[in-house]
Amino acid sequence: MREHLRGGRGERGGRIGRLLEHGDLRFLVLALLAEKPRHGYDVMRELEERTGGAYRPSPGVIYPTFSLLEDEGFVVPVAAEGGRKAYEATPAGKEALEANRAAVDAIFARLDEAAEHSSGARPKLQRAMQNLGVALRLRMQRGGVTEDQVDAIAGILDEAATRIERT
């Protein structure tokens, strides 16, 4: 599976190079689970933070990686808060991690480099846009929206768009 880092270094939306090689994500996830038990969202968020927002794996990549590591006997599910399934590294997983310590350290070094070259702004904007979409959907689903409220909401959005264009 190929993972690429996007954006940064002055290349708008372009690839700046390969961030993860085949199999790297497996060791990254294992290393994070060796630090403490985590669920998928925690792993995705941690990787996003460690790259300064330059890389965030999708659930479609993380959860199969959990399954692979579990099949290998490197992680086990543990009780988690909020009904999410968390995983922790087994002794065999920690042993595999130590046997590959140099490679794992090199992967984390690449993540650190990606963080240095990332503005971090893109994830913040994506989060803000998602928040806006959710707020609008929830307000419309709640119903009872008057024409005056529609006009007010449209005015707020138009004003925000104008301010963004001028920024």
Side-chain angles (χ1 to χ4, degrees):
M1 185 169 306
R2 294 181 178 191
E3 305 289 337
H4 287 87
L5 177 68
R6 297 194 178 275
R9 290 192 198 179
E11 294 184 30
R12 299 179 69 147
R15 292 181 178 158
I16 65 167
R18 194 174 189 114
L19 178 62
L20 299 180
E21 299 294 332
H22 181 73
D24 287 353
L25 185 62
R26 178 173 157 256
F27 282 110
L28 279 177
V29 170
L30 184 57
L32 294 177
L33 298 177
E35 291 175 0
K36 67 179 184 179
R38 301 173 193 259
H39 53 77
Y41 177 75
D42 287 336
V43 170
M44 289 182 277
R45 187 180 63 227
E46 182 68 20
L47 290 173
E48 182 178 32
E49 288 176 12
R50 288 189 185 206
T51 61
Y55 172 72
R56 180 186 175 115
S58 70
V61 172
I62 289 298
Y63 292 107
T65 302
F66 281 175
S67 293
L68 172 66
L69 291 169
E70 187 175 11
D71 290 346
E72 293 174 319
F74 292 164
V75 302
V76 292
V78 294
E81 60 189 58
R84 292 181 175 157
K85 187 191 287 189
Y87 290 84
E88 69 180 0
T90 64
K94 291 176 183 177
E95 187 177 307
L97 196 57
E98 283 310 309
N100 291 281
R101 178 54 56 195
V104 172
D105 289 346
I107 297 166
F108 277 108
R110 287 197 309 269
L111 293 184
D112 292 342
E113 183 181 348
E116 289 176 22
H117 297 290
S118 173
S119 70
R122 188 169 291 131
K124 291 176 187 175
L125 292 174
Q126 289 172 344
R127 178 197 44 79
M129 289 187 299
Q130 288 172 350
N131 286 345
L132 175 60
V134 168
L136 284 169
R137 247 187 326 279
L138 290 174
R139 180 59 191 102
M140 298 310 288
Q141 287 173 352
R142 202 169 59 215
V145 181
T146 68
E147 201 57 40
D148 287 342
Q149 290 170 323
V150 168
D151 290 343
I153 292 169
I156 291 167
L157 295 175
D158 289 341
E159 180 183 340
T162 300
R163 290 177 62 191
I164 290 167
E165 288 174 357
R166 293 179 183 162
T167 299

